[in-house]
RNA sequence: GGCCCCAUCGUCUAACGGUUAGGACACUACCCUUUCAAGGUAGCGAUACGGGUUCGAAUCCCGUUGGGGUCACCA
């Protein structure tokens, strides 16, 4: 059985984490079909029928997001495909024909109410606790057609049956029955000739041979409209599956105000796409073996739609960060982390040479950061002699002032400057003065790093090198 | 408010009629340790409530409560 899935984002702003989330599942379903040796395609279609909310660069940024995550579609406006175009604004002629087809078959009608009339009607209907009744519905079709032909502005509305019920068979839930009398006559074609979501979505899914509609839960209530449309056209329904909505901490639908929702933010912060994907996969789904860390291929191997959990998952930045740190420490190699971090920094306009020194600093920082954006702020003293010295460090330096000068001299004359040598020397130095090693190391750390938070003393000294270290300690001894 | 969906630790979740209700994040303590982390160990912490069904219910049914979504010529 072929599996054709899609995501249908609107280019109205930042590339949204919810699009990535839904994309992950759609992408996986198509990949699974291919792995079984069956037809599987994942389509990205741009739903840009609302010219009022259109944002010019939004589409490109959606492609970038999907590419970054490795959820590249098989068909899209970018790479094309057999059932294009994949931008609804380039398909407008099509929808008018389908709308007219429904008018001709009696499943839809032309309506002439103005927005003002409609809001009055709506207010009245709501007061009476019922759905809006559109007067144009009862117009004689021929008369209505004549008005349209004469150039009068009109929309096309779906003629929802007054009786009976429409059942949505969501594959994650029990059948959901909607009373037809509670469904209003949705606009299918706007006065500007553009289709609404409902029409465009159904027509395109049909023409693009979509078999599985996996989308967010917020669409459940409009699904009966879509079911009615499929029936009106005489088309078989796709499989429906409504995924839970990602939530803010207060359980409301995830929003910009309460969470970073733009995937670009996560890119800027230096999250890894692998970690992002892994984390998203755990929103509403768990690996059957309880694995916390798994890659996209593994997800595709074991994911099953029926294992999706329906409670709305709260998007936890804490857990994402933890997971990203886990990838840095346990999944990627040190070399890979260095390369990725280097590329990240270059993208942030911080060109650093990808050399032995950089790699040494990265090695020390891997257990000390969760995301790349933390790297520079925690390692300033590795890159400049003009590093900040905090208050606590200043105090420690003063405590160490009596011996820092001597210590500098000792370090300067060491036969080597590797970890073993500096450690032995430091311990000896402390013992000679009747000090605990810590009493020497703390001021030394403060002098060399300007902070009490640093990697291990001796690997840090070795990485910095004798020259830097001695100069810094001498400077601290002088009180500079 | 009408309609619809949902309901296990603070959060993500396991359990698919029989477990001392398990794991992970966060938090706390301890260990490791030259600091900060990382890592290890332990602790804290949940079946929303009320009725059924059943020998037995987190699990099935009903109700209540709570949360969420949706009610546009936006998607």
């Amino acid at each position: 059985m072929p599996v054709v899935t899609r995501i249908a984002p609107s280019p109205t702003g930042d590339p949204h984490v919810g699009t990535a989330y839904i994309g992950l599942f759609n992408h996986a379903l198509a990949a699974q079909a291919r792995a079984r040796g069956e037809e599987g395609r994942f389509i990205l279609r741009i739903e840009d029928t609302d010219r009022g909310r259109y944002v010019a660069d939004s589409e490109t940024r959606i492609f970038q997001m999907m590419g970054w995550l490795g959820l590249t579609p098989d068909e899209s406006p970018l790479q094309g495909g057999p059932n294009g175009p994949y931008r609804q604004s380039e398909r407008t002629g099509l929808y008018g024909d389908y709308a007219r087809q429904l008018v001709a078959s009696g499943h839809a009608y032309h309506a002439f109410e103005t927005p003002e009339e409609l809001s009055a009607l709506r207010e009245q209907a709501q007061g009476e606790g019922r759905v809006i009744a559109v007067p144009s519905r009862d117009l004689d079709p021929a008369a209505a057609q004549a008005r349209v032909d004469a150039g009068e502005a009109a929309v096309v509305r779906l003629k929802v049956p007054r009786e009976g019920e429409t059942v949505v068979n969501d594959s994650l839930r029990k059948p959901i029955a909607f009373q037809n009398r509670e469904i209003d006559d949705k606009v299918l074609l706007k006065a500007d000739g553009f289709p609404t979501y409902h029409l465009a979505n159904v027509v395109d899914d049909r023409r693009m041979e979509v078999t599985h509609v996996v989308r967010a839960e917020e669409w459940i209530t409009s699904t009966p409209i879509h079911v009615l449309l499929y029936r009106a056209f005489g088309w078989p329904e796709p499989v429906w599956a409504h995924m839970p909505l990602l939530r803010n901490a207060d359980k409301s639908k995830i929003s910009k105000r309460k969470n970073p929702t733009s995937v670009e933010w996560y890119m800027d912060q230096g999250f890894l796409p692998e970690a992002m994907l892994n984390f998203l996969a755990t929103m509403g789904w768990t690996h059957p073996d309880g694995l916390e860390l798994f890659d996209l291929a593994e997800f595709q191997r074991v994911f099953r739609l029926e294992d999706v959990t329906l409670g709305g998952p709260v998007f936890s930045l804490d857990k994402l960060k933890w997971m990203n740190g886990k990838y840095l420490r346990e999944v990627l190699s040190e070399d890979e982390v260095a390369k990725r971090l280097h590329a990240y920094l270059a993208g942030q306009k911080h060109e650093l040479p990808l050399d032995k020194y950089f790699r040494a600093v990265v090695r020390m920082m891997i257990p000390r950061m969760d995301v790349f954006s933390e790297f520079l702020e925690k390692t300033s003293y590795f890159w400049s002699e003009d590093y900040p010295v905090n208050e606590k460090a200043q105090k420690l330096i003063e405590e160490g002032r009596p011996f820092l000068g001597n210590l500098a001299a000792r370090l300067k004359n060491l036969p080597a400057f590797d970890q073993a040598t500096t450690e032995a020397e430091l311990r000896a130095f402390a013992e000679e003065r009747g000090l605990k090693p810590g009493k020497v190391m703390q001021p030394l750390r403060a002098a060399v790093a300007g902070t009490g938070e640093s990697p291990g003393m001796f690997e840090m000294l070795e990485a910095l090198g004798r020259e830097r270290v001695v100069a810094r300690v001498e400077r601290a001894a002088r009180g500079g």
Side-chain angles (χ1 to χ4, degrees):
Chain A
M1 193 180 115
V3 174
V4 181
T5 61
R6 49 64 163 183
I7 52 169
S10 290
T12 53
D14 299 335
H16 201 274
V17 68
T19 305
Y21 176 61
I22 298 298
L24 169 63
F25 299 104
N26 279 284
H27 181 271
L29 255 15
Q32 287 179 340
R34 260 178 271 125
R36 287 194 302 266
E38 292 159 3
E39 183 191 353
R41 288 183 285 135
F42 169 51
I43 300 171
L44 191 164
R45 180 176 68 228
I46 296 293
E47 308 221 329
D48 55 350
T49 55
D50 182 357
R51 69 264 180 277
R53 295 205 305 158
Y54 182 75
V55 175
D57 66 349
S58 180
E59 179 182 310
T60 306
R61 291 158 64 199
I62 291 169
F63 296 149
Q64 281 167 353
M65 166 180 80
M66 298 302 282
W68 181 69
L69 290 167
L71 300 177
T72 306
D74 302 304
E75 300 169 29
S76 81
L78 246 198
Q79 57 258 90
N83 301 311
Y86 293 89
R87 236 176 244 118
Q88 286 184 333
S89 59
E90 294 168 6
R91 304 167 66 83
T92 46
L94 202 67
Y95 308 115
D97 291 342
Y98 281 98
R100 281 184 283 280
Q101 182 185 322
L102 289 185
V103 172
S105 65
H107 292 286
Y109 59 92
H110 288 288
F112 304 93
E113 286 73 16
T114 64
E116 295 75 38
E117 288 170 322
L118 284 171
S119 61
L121 249 24
R122 201 162 359 249
E123 200 173 319
Q124 188 191 344
Q126 252 172 14
E128 293 169 25
R130 57 170 176 80
V131 123
I132 186 170
V134 182
S136 293
R137 174 177 170 124
D138 302 319
L139 256 29
D140 172 61
Q145 189 59 54
R147 286 169 70 177
V148 171
D149 292 343
E152 192 172 340
V155 300
V156 173
R157 284 180 180 274
L158 179 66
K159 200 167 193 173
V160 176
R162 288 259 161 82
E163 320 256 286
E165 57 180 34
T166 299
V167 175
V168 173
N169 289 302
D170 184 293
S171 49
L172 304 178
R173 296 170 177 77
K174 285 179 281 202
I176 308 167
F178 292 86
Q179 296 306 309
N180 289 337
R181 48 171 297 127
E182 285 163 358
I183 303 171
D184 60 12
D185 290 353
K186 284 277 183 280
V187 171
L188 302 178
L189 203 65
K190 306 178 218 174
D192 65 5
F194 273 57
T196 58
Y197 170 82
H198 305 293
L199 210 221
N201 192 265
V202 166
V203 166
D204 286 346
D205 280 350
R206 165 69 180 186
R207 297 194 48 125
M208 293 178 184
E209 302 162 343
V210 169
T211 60
H212 291 64
V213 173
V214 179
R215 73 226 307 189
E217 193 179 7
E218 58 187 327
W219 296 108
I220 284 187
T221 43
S222 43
T223 307
I225 312 271
H226 304 162
V227 170
L228 253 11
L229 278 169
Y230 275 95
R231 288 195 196 145
F233 283 120
W235 300 334
E237 284 177 51
V239 171
W240 306 105
H242 291 90
M243 299 295 296
L245 240 20
L246 260 21
R247 311 295 182 102
N248 296 313
D250 65 5
K251 294 280 188 181
S252 56
K253 176 164 86 170
I254 195 166
S255 66
K256 215 172 175 172
R257 275 275 143 256
K258 298 171 180 173
N259 254 307
T261 55
S262 169
V263 171
E264 286 168 355
W265 184 85
Y266 296 90
M267 295 165 76
D268 283 347
Q269 288 296 305
F271 281 89
L272 301 164
E274 293 96 326
M276 190 78 199
L277 240 23
N278 192 155
F279 174 71
L280 252 16
T282 66
M283 299 277 90
W285 182 81
T286 316
H287 191 285
D289 300 330
L291 284 184
E292 293 277 346
L293 265 36
F294 49 85
D295 63 16
L296 187 57
E298 174 64 9
F299 175 68
Q300 283 167 189
R301 195 176 71 77
V302 299
F303 174 72
R304 297 189 313 175
L305 214 40
E306 66 258 43
D307 292 336
V308 169
T309 245
L310 264 14
V314 172
F315 189 96
S316 161
L317 202 49
D318 268 356
K319 190 146 187 181
L320 208 209
K321 278 186 184 162
W322 166 80
M323 190 169 273
N324 203 73
K326 239 13 194 175
Y327 268 78
L328 258 21
R329 280 173 252 124
E330 296 177 11
V331 179
L332 300 187
S333 68
E334 214 172 273
D335 181 57
E336 183 65 20
V337 173
K339 283 179 183 154
R340 300 248 203 141
L341 177 53
H342 179 262
Y344 166 80
L345 292 171
Q348 301 284 320
K349 303 279 176 279
H350 294 291
E351 244 352 304
L352 290 174
L354 183 53
D355 57 10
K356 210 178 147 202
Y357 183 65
F358 179 78
R359 288 174 190 278
V361 177
V362 171
R363 184 182 318 121
M364 290 185 280
M365 292 312 293
I366 284 175
R368 294 177 171 82
M369 65 177 164
D370 283 330
V371 293
F372 288 156
S373 59
E374 296 168 20
F375 182 74
L376 280 184
E377 61 195 44
K378 288 185 173 175
T379 60
S380 59
Y381 53 91
F382 281 109
W383 316 112
S384 160
E385 293 310 306
D386 187 26
Y387 51 92
V389 178
N390 65 33
E391 207 174 308
K392 214 175 141 194
Q394 196 53 250
K395 251 180 154 167
L396 285 166
I397 289 170
E398 276 152 32
E399 279 174 32
R401 195 143 289 146
F403 59 78
L404 245 21
N406 282 322
L407 182 56
R410 293 276 288 265
L411 291 170
K412 196 173 190 169
N413 294 319
L414 240 31
F417 211 71
D418 58 283
Q419 295 187 40
T421 309
T422 53
E423 176 159 11
E425 183 68 1
L426 231 98
R427 293 193 186 279
F429 182 83
E431 201 175 336
E432 286 164 26
R433 301 190 166 239
L435 292 169
K436 281 197 227 167
K439 282 292 171 197
V440 174
M441 283 190 233
Q442 302 246 29
L444 177 58
R445 169 177 293 105
V448 160
T451 167
E453 298 177 15
S454 85
M457 186 81 250
F458 307 107
E459 52 175 346
M460 176 168 63
L461 292 183
E462 182 176 321
L464 282 167
R466 189 197 305 257
E467 209 177 316
R468 280 195 193 87
V469 171
V470 170
R472 291 181 187 187
V473 178
E474 283 174 345
R475 193 176 67 182
R478 286 194 309 269

